[in-house]
Amino acid sequence: MVAKEEKRIEILKAAIKVFSEAGIEGATIEEIAKEAGIGKGTVYEYFESKNTLFQEMVCYSGKRFLEELVPVIEQGDNMLEKLRLISQFYARFLKNHLDIFNSLMTGYSLSETMRSQLLKEMSVISQAVEDMIRVGIQTLELRANVNPEIAAACILGGIHSYAIKKIFSDGYGPDEIDHEGIAKALLTGLIW
Amino acid sequence: MVAKEEKRIEILKAAIKVFSEAGIEGATIEEIAKEAGIGKGTVYEYFESKNTLFQEMVCYSGKRFLEELVPVIEQGDNMLEKLRLISQFYARFLKNHLDIFNSLMTGYSLSETMRSQLLKEMSVISQAVEDMIRVGIQTLELRANVNPEIAAACILGGIHSYAIKKIFSDGYGPDEIDHEGIAKALLTGLIW
Amino acid sequence: MVAKEEKRIEILKAAIKVFSEAGIEGATIEEIAKEAGIGKGTVYEYFESKNTLFQEMVCYSGKRFLEELVPVIEQGDNMLEKLRLISQFYARFLKNHLDIFNSLMTGYSLSETMRSQLLKEMSVISQAVEDMIRVGIQTLELRANVNPEIAAACILGGIHSYAIKKIFSDGYGPDEIDHEGIAKALLTGLIW
Amino acid sequence: MVAKEEKRIEILKAAIKVFSEAGIEGATIEEIAKEAGIGKGTVYEYFESKNTLFQEMVCYSGKRFLEELVPVIEQGDNMLEKLRLISQFYARFLKNHLDIFNSLMTGYSLSETMRSQLLKEMSVISQAVEDMIRVGIQTLELRANVNPEIAAACILGGIHSYAIKKIFSDGYGPDEIDHEGIAKALLTGLIW
DNA sequence: AATGAATGAGAGTTCATTCAT
DNA sequence: TATGAATGAACTCTCATTCAT
């Protein structure tokens, strides 16, 4: 039956919502179950424990994020366009999934095994951006001496940092952010 | 008496240690009290609640971070040197205070009032970097059309992201990171 | 159909195994069902509840024990032989069914109605031994002034106590126990 | 302060009462706390877990039983008197502490470590009776070829078995039991 | 001012039982 | 008839907080 897998997804989605709103520890299994429209015990039919559920939720989110990120990257015609789209996509995702992002970015508050698993997940996303950089170098759009690893960190970190600030500090909506500005800044750097 | 304020600081330092090691929820008041060498009840003479203590600890950490960051910035003779020093300082700080950093960066897992307070704290740090940018523009070291706010986000976010990856994913020590590389990358950008 | 009764027995046997290994509360219906090779819900087609199942399992065990005990008693040619065989049989049974024995001996942890039912079961076993005593008195093998009830208690209690000690404390196998010794001790008493 | 140890004892006494009435698993920490007149959490200030509490309760009971048994044994002028007193003492103790007795006798439903600890406890009681036997042999009151270990098992097992039957099956009070009869039976055995 | 014993609300988790299939 | 997914009551245990000393 597909239903079994579908209900797993339902619970994962409920978990994303509740974890994102209440934080890792603030979230309760009861709340997640209620959100999923099922009984508390049912959660344990699908996930071994709260920790496992959280873990799998982050992995699921990471995969989802990556799945959606890749076409976004491919969509842009040039590097500026690509960075602008990434920033936009990132801001929209962030708006809904702050907690998951924290986890993906830092492995915060997780057991050692969970953290390493998550960093692996995150590194896949980083890899996707690094690949984009390498293609840009090959097409001569980017300077040859750019270090893809460092560049990917600047791109993801810069976009993240700016989006956080504008959304949570200045109260901007995800689409009010100056995506063009951050994209240009990353491309041109600070000096002349 | 100064003693009162000194003991407050003692508790805050103990809180930094315990929160950083055990996470927000994993930390217990009892452990913090033991670390500070006082009784459990005494903590409540100085802080209203665990939440308050956490809040004030993050503010304290933010102020400390800023206090130490400013001379670091002033120390560098040119912009490349400044950015290199910031990255180095950041990595060292991060190594010891992952949890606090998460809070500073995102206001994670905090009440709305706490979050806004923290973002204000964070924006002070951002301001310091923006000021550095503005000075760089005035001295013609940086391009005139650089947006200081975006630049500060790229600098802090990029440094953060890269440090996280190298320290927690690749197991680097804070001083093994290529601080020069990230500084150059931020300055020169990706194109040309 | 006989099949119905046969499946009942299958479940009872599975219950004996699981209850004996995991204890009354440690045993789960799911485990018993798996042991019996059926679905969890099916157990409830044959037994009203876990308590009922446990109850009936003990009765079944009591009957089985008695069914096997009687020929053992009849097998011995004289009283010493009989007691030796009882001790041997008891030790073997005990090795596999500690929990059931506790219940049979004491009605431990059971509801009042269950306990009285079990004690009745146990008294049947005691009766069988008492009958053996009476026969011994009639054949002049035993002293005329022996109280059969007390004697049966001494025999079953003494054998039980000794077997428990040697098997669970000293790690003896059921056949390494000095069955001859305990049989003689019960026959000859302590004085003279 | 003595108060700390005293409260421990209070909790142990409450545990004896509740465990004896409700069984190991039927007993709840909340009920024990209520019985002791304290809060639920307080129990955990004195005992690590429910299992630990149960364990320590059984040890405490074993020690108490032994402490009281020894003077009872010494009190009797001859072996018949001693056995009669033991039976009487046993029946009274049993009336109040059925569960503890089961544990002492068999280590029922306990973890391996707990069981071995308990069997050690029980063997101390057995030792006390064995010592009594040895003294009896030395004073020529008992036959020289009596095996003290087997004899102790017969005495404790026989007394236990008989007391259980009369109290729980026939509804006797502890003092209505024919203690003299069981004592004589154990001494004189069945033959002759 | 400082303490730590006492507390109890609230969490994660288990599992006997039900019931739609 | 047989099933096992779903359930939720009830459990153990944690720990922020209180308050008498």
Side-chain angles (χ1 to χ4, degrees):
Chain A
M1 210 198 313
V2 193
K4 192 89 194 236
E5 186 56 23
E6 272 167 18
K7 188 166 280 187
R8 250 186 79 92
I9 303 291
E10 279 313 302
I11 296 172
L12 282 170
K13 284 181 182 169
I16 288 173
K17 188 162 191 295
V18 177
F19 275 123
S20 287
E21 280 169 2
I24 298 176
E25 307 287 336
T28 69
I29 294 290
E30 193 148 28
E31 187 63 25
I32 291 169
K34 200 189 293 174
E35 180 67 35
I38 58 175
K40 197 190 346 179
T42 308
V43 174
Y44 287 87
E45 295 286 323
Y46 294 83
F47 301 92
E48 219 174 41
S49 68
K50 186 186 179 182
N51 260 334
T52 307
L53 172 56
F54 178 73
Q55 225 170 128
E56 300 211 25
M57 180 213 66
V58 178
C59 289
Y60 174 75
S61 296
K63 286 202 184 73
R64 285 273 304 272
F65 179 75
L66 193 59
E67 273 169 27
E68 299 180 36
L69 179 64
V70 170
V72 163
I73 290 176
E74 288 168 354
Q75 198 183 320
D77 289 330
N78 53 52
M79 203 52 65
L80 178 65
E81 183 73 1
K82 282 179 199 288
L83 290 179
R84 198 182 56 74
L85 289 170
I86 292 174
S87 177
Q88 186 185 66
F89 171 67
Y90 200 103
R92 288 175 182 167
F93 206 100
L94 186 63
K95 175 74 181 175
N96 297 315
H97 306 305
L98 175 57
D99 267 51
I100 295 152
F101 254 86
N102 282 313
S103 304
L104 280 171
M105 294 296 288
T106 60
Y108 166 70
S109 191
L110 306 174
S111 71
E112 214 43 58
T113 56
M114 272 166 82
R115 180 172 294 186
S116 67
Q117 188 184 349
L118 285 172
L119 288 172
K120 222 175 292 171
E121 199 72 38
M122 186 53 200
S123 88
V124 175
I125 294 171
S126 187
Q127 280 298 328
V129 176
E130 290 182 35
D131 288 346
M132 182 189 76
I133 302 289
R134 286 197 193 88
V135 170
I137 292 174
Q138 277 170 7
T139 61
L140 303 178
E141 215 181 337
L142 301 183
R143 272 208 325 279
N145 67 339
V146 163
N147 177 330
E149 187 187 19
I150 289 179
C154 287
I155 290 168
L156 289 173
I159 286 172
H160 176 77
S161 215
Y162 191 55
I164 287 279
K165 187 183 180 193
K166 302 313 284 184
I167 292 175
F168 295 104
S169 195
D170 299 350
Y172 278 42
D175 292 332
E176 295 176 290
I177 290 176
D178 181 8
H179 300 299
E180 181 98 13
I182 186 117
K184 274 187 188 162
L186 287 164
L187 279 182
T188 57
L190 305 172
I191 53 174
W192 179 247
Chain B
M1 214 198 308
V2 193
K4 186 97 191 213
E5 186 55 24
E6 273 168 16
K7 190 170 277 189
R8 252 186 79 92
I9 304 291
E10 280 313 302
I11 297 172
L12 283 169
K13 284 180 182 171
I16 289 173
K17 188 162 190 295
V18 176
F19 276 122
S20 287
E21 281 169 4
I24 298 175
E25 304 288 332
T28 68
I29 293 291
E30 190 149 28
E31 187 62 23
I32 291 169
K34 201 192 290 175
E35 180 67 34
I38 59 174
K40 197 181 359 172
T42 309
V43 174
Y44 285 86
E45 298 290 325
Y46 293 83
F47 300 93
E48 216 175 43
S49 68
K50 188 187 178 181
N51 261 334
T52 308
L53 172 56
F54 178 73
Q55 225 169 132
E56 300 211 24
M57 179 213 67
V58 178
C59 290
Y60 175 76
S61 296
K63 285 202 184 74
R64 284 274 303 272
F65 179 75
L66 193 59
E67 273 169 24
E68 299 179 36
L69 179 65
V70 170
V72 163
I73 291 176
E74 287 170 354
Q75 197 183 321
D77 288 331
N78 53 53
M79 202 51 66
L80 178 66
E81 184 74 2
K82 283 179 200 289
L83 290 179
R84 199 181 57 74
L85 288 170
I86 291 174
S87 177
Q88 185 184 68
F89 172 67
Y90 201 102
R92 288 176 182 167
F93 206 98
L94 186 63
K95 176 74 180 173
N96 297 315
H97 305 306
L98 175 57
D99 270 49
I100 295 154
F101 250 93
N102 281 312
S103 304
L104 280 171
M105 293 296 289
T106 61
Y108 165 71
S109 191
L110 306 175
S111 70
E112 214 43 58
T113 55
M114 272 167 80
R115 180 173 292 187
S116 66
Q117 188 184 352
L118 284 171
L119 288 172
K120 220 175 292 170
E121 200 70 39
M122 185 55 201
S123 88
V124 174
I125 293 171
S126 187
Q127 281 299 330
V129 176
E130 289 182 37
D131 288 346
M132 181 189 77
I133 303 287
R134 285 194 195 90
V135 170
I137 293 172
Q138 279 171 6
T139 61
L140 303 178
E141 219 181 334
L142 302 183
R143 275 208 324 278
N145 66 339
V146 163
N147 177 330
E149 188 187 20
I150 289 179
C154 287
I155 289 167
L156 289 174
I159 285 172
H160 176 76
S161 217
Y162 191 55
I164 287 278
K165 187 182 181 194
K166 302 313 282 184
I167 292 175
F168 295 104
S169 196
D170 299 349
Y172 279 42
D175 291 334
E176 295 175 288
I177 290 176
D178 181 8
H179 301 299
E180 181 98 14
I182 186 117
K184 275 185 186 163
L186 288 163
L187 279 182
T188 58
L190 304 171
I191 54 172
W192 191 269
Chain C
M1 212 200 308
V2 195
K4 185 98 193 216
E5 185 56 22
E6 272 168 17
K7 190 169 278 190
R8 251 187 80 91
I9 303 292
E10 281 312 302
I11 297 172
L12 284 169
K13 283 181 182 170
I16 288 173
K17 188 161 190 298
V18 176
F19 276 122
S20 287
E21 281 169 2
I24 297 176
E25 304 287 333
T28 68
I29 293 291
E30 189 149 29
E31 186 63 24
I32 291 168
K34 198 191 294 174
E35 180 69 34
I38 60 174
K40 199 181 359 172
T42 310
V43 174
Y44 286 86
E45 298 290 325
Y46 293 84
F47 300 93
E48 215 174 44
S49 68
K50 187 185 179 181
N51 262 333
T52 309
L53 173 55
F54 178 73
Q55 226 169 129
E56 300 211 27
M57 179 213 65
V58 178
C59 289
Y60 174 75
S61 296
K63 285 201 185 72
R64 285 273 304 271
F65 179 75
L66 193 58
E67 272 169 27
E68 299 179 35
L69 179 64
V70 169
V72 163
I73 291 175
E74 286 168 355
Q75 196 183 320
D77 289 332
N78 54 52
M79 203 51 66
L80 179 65
E81 184 73 1
K82 281 179 200 290
L83 290 179
R84 198 182 57 73
L85 288 170
I86 292 174
S87 176
Q88 187 185 67
F89 171 68
Y90 200 102
R92 288 174 182 169
F93 205 98
L94 185 62
K95 175 73 181 174
N96 298 314
H97 307 305
L98 175 57
D99 269 49
I100 296 153
F101 250 94
N102 281 312
S103 303
L104 281 169
M105 294 295 288
T106 61
Y108 164 72
S109 191
L110 307 174
S111 70
E112 214 43 58
T113 55
M114 272 166 81
R115 180 173 293 186
S116 68
Q117 187 184 353
L118 285 171
L119 288 172
K120 222 176 290 169
E121 200 70 38
M122 184 54 200
S123 88
V124 175
I125 294 171
S126 186
Q127 280 297 327
V129 176
E130 289 181 36
D131 288 346
M132 181 189 76
I133 303 288
R134 286 197 193 86
V135 171
I137 293 172
Q138 276 170 9
T139 60
L140 302 179
E141 217 183 334
L142 301 182
R143 276 208 324 277
N145 67 340
V146 163
N147 176 330
E149 187 188 21
I150 290 177
C154 288
I155 288 167
L156 289 174
I159 285 172
H160 176 76
S161 216
Y162 191 55
I164 286 280
K165 187 184 180 191
K166 301 313 283 185
I167 291 176
F168 294 103
S169 195
D170 298 349
Y172 279 43
D175 292 333
E176 294 175 290
I177 290 175
D178 182 9
H179 301 299
E180 182 97 13
I182 186 118
K184 274 185 185 161
L186 288 163
L187 279 181
T188 58
L190 303 173
I191 53 171
W192 190 263
Chain D
M1 214 197 308
V2 194
K4 191 92 194 229
E5 186 56 24
E6 273 168 16
K7 188 166 279 188
R8 250 186 81 90
I9 303 291
E10 280 313 302
I11 297 172
L12 282 169
K13 284 181 182 171
I16 288 173
K17 190 162 189 295
V18 176
F19 275 123
S20 287
E21 280 168 3
I24 297 174
E25 307 287 336
T28 68
I29 293 291
E30 192 148 29
E31 187 63 25
I32 291 170
K34 200 190 292 175
E35 180 67 36
I38 59 175
K40 196 193 342 178
T42 309
V43 174
Y44 287 88
E45 296 285 325
Y46 293 84
F47 300 93
E48 219 174 40
S49 68
K50 187 185 179 183
N51 260 334
T52 307
L53 172 56
F54 178 72
Q55 223 169 132
E56 299 211 26
M57 179 212 68
V58 178
C59 288
Y60 175 75
S61 297
K63 286 202 183 73
R64 286 274 303 270
F65 179 75
L66 194 60
E67 272 169 25
E68 298 179 36
L69 179 65
V70 170
V72 163
I73 291 175
E74 287 169 354
Q75 197 183 323
D77 289 331
N78 54 54
M79 203 52 67
L80 179 64
E81 184 72 1
K82 281 178 199 291
L83 290 179
R84 199 182 57 74
L85 289 170
I86 291 174
S87 176
Q88 185 186 66
F89 171 68
Y90 200 104
R92 288 175 182 167
F93 205 99
L94 187 61
K95 175 74 181 174
N96 297 315
H97 307 304
L98 174 57
D99 267 52
I100 295 153
F101 252 94
N102 281 312
S103 303
L104 280 170
M105 294 295 288
T106 61
Y108 165 71
S109 189
L110 306 175
S111 70
E112 213 45 56
T113 55
M114 272 166 81
R115 180 173 293 185
S116 67
Q117 188 184 351
L118 285 172
L119 287 172
K120 222 175 292 171
E121 200 73 38
M122 185 54 200
S123 89
V124 174
I125 294 171
S126 187
Q127 280 297 328
V129 176
E130 289 182 36
D131 288 346
M132 181 190 77
I133 304 287
R134 286 195 191 89
V135 171
I137 292 173
Q138 276 170 6
T139 60
L140 303 179
E141 220 183 330
L142 301 183
R143 274 208 326 278
N145 66 340
V146 163
N147 176 329
E149 188 187 20
I150 291 178
C154 289
I155 289 167
L156 289 173
I159 285 172
H160 176 76
S161 217
Y162 191 55
I164 286 278
K165 187 184 179 190
K166 301 313 283 185
I167 292 175
F168 295 104
S169 196
D170 299 350
Y172 280 40
D175 291 333
E176 294 175 289
I177 290 175
D178 181 9
H179 301 298
E180 182 98 13
I182 186 116
K184 274 185 185 161
L186 287 164
L187 279 181
T188 58
L190 304 172
I191 55 173
W192 192 270

